[in-house]
Amino acid sequence: MYYTYMLRCKDESLYTGITTNIERRLEEHVKKTEKGAKYTRYHDAIKMEAIWESKNRVDASKLEYWIKHLTKKQKERLIQENCLELLETKIVVEKYNRL
């Protein structure tokens, strides 16, 4: 199982990534380990905002790609309302389950 996630940083920015283990990945970001993203080393990750489950890496990566191309306003709406229809023309929305 793969997960696409969005986390909030101290400066209110949002980071999007994929993983097979949410707890481990969040810890890597928060503790700024070598395996954490370069972005979160400079933008203090503080909390997980949204998580979507995918059956495979390909689907998780596609979702990550399209989320990263949304505006900040669209990302905030996605978090608040789970509006995956923002991406309907790009991906098959039914493939993703919000946790």
Side-chain angles (χ1 to χ4, degrees):
M1 197 63 58
Y2 282 85
Y3 303 94
T4 305
Y5 62 91
M6 293 175 67
L7 54 86
R8 178 138 348 243
C9 296
K10 193 173 185 179
D11 64 358
E12 291 298 314
S13 62
L14 296 166
Y15 175 82
T16 304
I18 66 169
T19 188
T20 56
N21 184 320
I22 291 293
E23 294 81 16
R24 175 189 47 82
R25 192 66 178 137
L26 180 58
E27 185 175 321
E28 290 170 351
H29 287 302
V30 171
K31 291 185 176 180
K32 300 180 181 184
T33 69
E34 286 180 14
K35 292 186 178 185
K38 184 188 251 185
Y39 184 87
T40 57
R41 282 188 224 139
Y42 298 99
H43 296 268
D44 301 332
I46 55 174
K47 69 177 179 174
M48 197 64 70
E49 286 285 7
I51 304 167
W52 293 272
E53 186 177 82
S54 301
K55 291 182 180 177
N56 57 58
R57 184 180 181 94
V58 171
D59 288 346
S61 294
K62 284 180 184 178
L63 182 57
E64 175 193 29
Y65 175 84
W66 294 113
I67 290 172
K68 284 184 173 188
H69 287 84
L70 295 175
T71 65
K72 174 91 176 344
K73 187 175 181 178
Q74 289 171 320
K75 290 175 187 179
E76 294 289 358
R77 184 170 168 223
L78 183 60
I79 291 167
Q80 294 301 315
E81 302 172 23
N82 193 29
C83 290
L84 275 177
E85 64 268 7
L86 289 168
L87 305 172
E88 255 178 1
T89 60
K90 310 284 187 199
I91 61 172
V92 179
V93 175
E94 293 78 30
K95 288 183 181 180
Y96 307 97
N97 298 312
R98 178 139 184 201
L99 301 179

